[in-house]
Amino acid sequence: MDPGGAVLLAAAGLAVGSFLNVCIYRLPRGRSVVRPGSRCTACGRALRWFENVPVLAYLVLRGCCRTCGAPISVVYPLVELTTAALFLLQYWQLGWQPLLPVRLAFTGALVILFVVDLRQRILPNEITVPGVALGVAAGVCVEPGWRAALLGAAAGGGALLAVAALYRRVRGEEGLGMGDVKMLAMIGAFLGWELAFLTLLLASSLGSVIALGMLALGLADRRYPLPLGSFLAVGALAAAVGGEPLLAWYITLLQR
């Protein structure tokens, strides 16, 4: 990995992470992510440019608004640092090639969906629906190819639709939201149907482990709504980075 490229991608990840924070806060509230400029969520004061410097501004301000002293959530620098780390991971795996910017856009979308679903149990259509279109469009030029992208979107969304219908028939209540369906369709559009199903498997396994742990610790009951979208985001990132070797190993295991 070229050190210069790594520094560039890390800086870009921090800057993009700062914008993702805006999306995470405003999209669930139905607000524009463009206007107005960044403001303190407590007193409404417009922030100066130096108060928007990723991570550094949070440290200098000691996690508080310069005017009203209201605490700034630690989620802001965590999102910025996580985005930078994920950008570096994608660069380490792919290097400079046409697929890299596509995967970086996909990564940014997953970060937004992870945090919003974890906090508010919603998956904004402003991310998932254009994400399906972008994944298919990008498939014209890069992997998995536009046909595989279309099939991935249909298979990913269709798989969760089938699960939701089965759950409703057996339990007589809604178990999955359409946001989860659209999100897996988006993942399939970017990664193809094989990695979309691997994403679902990884997300279900992670969700099951966490749910059992929470039940064992008395932190939740059986009706606690787990954020499937957050688990899908983790599963999709894992599938994007290491999914193909994992699938190859699994197929080899089945053939023995």
Side-chain angles (χ1 to χ4, degrees), residues 17 19 66 76 82 87 95 114-115 133 135 138 148 153 155-156 165 177 201 214-215 224 246:
F19 175 69
R66 189 165 58 94
Y76 287 91
T82 299
F87 274 29
F114 174 88
V115 179
L201 175 62
M214 293 179 70
L215 287 172
Y224 181 78
L246 183 58

Side-chain angles (χ1 to χ4, degrees), residues 156-182 184 200 228:
L160 275 189
L161 272 177
V163 171
L166 179 62
Y167 186 93
R168 184 169 56 248
R169 185 178 184 86
V170 172
R171 298 292 299 271
E173 59 184 6
E174 297 293 336
L176 291 174
M178 285 302 297
D180 299 309
V181 173
K182 296 169 191 172
L184 193 57
L200 183 57
L228 178 59

Side-chain angles (χ1 to χ4, degrees), residues 49-77:
W49 67 269
F50 54 83
E51 295 175 279
N52 280 317
V53 177
V55 181
L56 183 60
Y58 182 87
L59 296 175
V60 170
L61 295 172
R62 298 182 180 181
C64 296
C65 173
R66 189 165 58 94
T67 301
C68 68
I72 302 170
S73 173
V74 72
V75 170
Y76 287 91

